Amino acid sequence: DNELVRCTLQRELPMALDGDAVPNFDLKDALTVGFCEAAAVKAGSGAKTAQPLNGEREFVRTRDTNLGQLIANSFLGATNAYQMKNEGEQVDIGIANAGGIRASIDGPDVTQCDINEAAPYNNPVVVVKVNANQLVAAMENSVCLFPLISGDGLGTGRFAQMVGVEMEFDPSEAGVCDQASVKKRSRVRSLKVKRGADYEVVVEDGAINTGGNYVIATSAYLAGGGDGYSSLAAGVPLGDSGVTEQQAVFSYIVDELNSYVNIEDPPASQSIKCVGSDDCKL
C-alpha cells in the first residue's frame, strides 16, 4: 500500500541518490521483496518491544545497547542453521559495527520499516573463522579509537556491538587499529568466548592463549575488512547465510523471540566493559 511505498522510498532511495553506501541496493527489489517483508510484519507478526531499542550514536558507539545486542544475536540466529548444515559446528560470536546502526526503535510496535531505518545498509550476513590472534586484533580494532570525541559527536563506527564474548578494555593503553593479527594485547585486558555453558579464556593476565579457532557471524562489510577489521578479512570465509541484516533482525524477532523483544538498556549482560580510565565515565 502507499505507506509501504513511502517507507521504502523514504528510508532507502535517498541514501542511494545522495551517494551513501547502500550495498546491493536495487529499487525493483525494494518494491517487491522489501514490501513483502514489510507487509508480513504489518499483517501478522504484531512485533512489540517492551522498551525503546537504543541506536543513538552517543551510546551505540561507546557501550553495549539493547538494539546492538538484538542485531548481533540476530546474526547468530541467521547463521547457526547454515553453519551446522555446512560445517557441522556452532557459530560462537555475533559482531555488528556501531556505524551500521543509524536509528533507535522507539516502540512499542516494531515494523520492518523500523528495522530498515535502524540498519539501513542491509549487508549480507556471513560467517568467517579466525584464530585467537586474529580475534584479539578484531577486539583491539573495536576499541582502538575510544572515545573519539569529534565534531560529529562521540564514538566511532568501528565500535562493536557483540554477543558471545566478554571483554574488558583499558583506553589508557595504546590503541591498535587495522591489524590482520596481533601477537600481544594492548587495550584488551581480558577476553572470553562463550562455548556452550562455559567460557573459553582467550586473553588473561596480559597473554593471548593461542591455539583456538572461533566462528564469527557478521556483515559482509566487516568480513571484507571494513571499519578496520582487517583480521576478519584475513580469516577463513565459511559462506554466506543467504539473508541480509534486515532479514536477520526481522526473522530473529518473529521466530526466536515470538515477536516480543524484552531487552533492557544497558543490557544486563554486557559484552564490552571499559575499565581503568576516566574515559570510561563518558
Side-chain angles (χ1 to χ4, degrees), residues 38-46:
V41 175
K42 188 174 181 179
S45 72

Side-chain angles (χ1 to χ4, degrees), residues 147-160:
L148 189 66
I149 302 172
S150 68
D152 293 331
L154 183 65
T156 173
R158 71 181 66 206
F159 189 86

Side-chain angles (χ1 to χ4, degrees), residues 4 9 22 35 39 66 93-94 111 138 161 172 191 197 221 230 244 271:
L4 298 182
L9 294 182
V22 185
F35 283 1
N66 54 358
I93 304 165
T111 69
Q161 294 290 326
S172 67
L191 177 63
Y221 173 68
S230 302
T244 66
S271 296

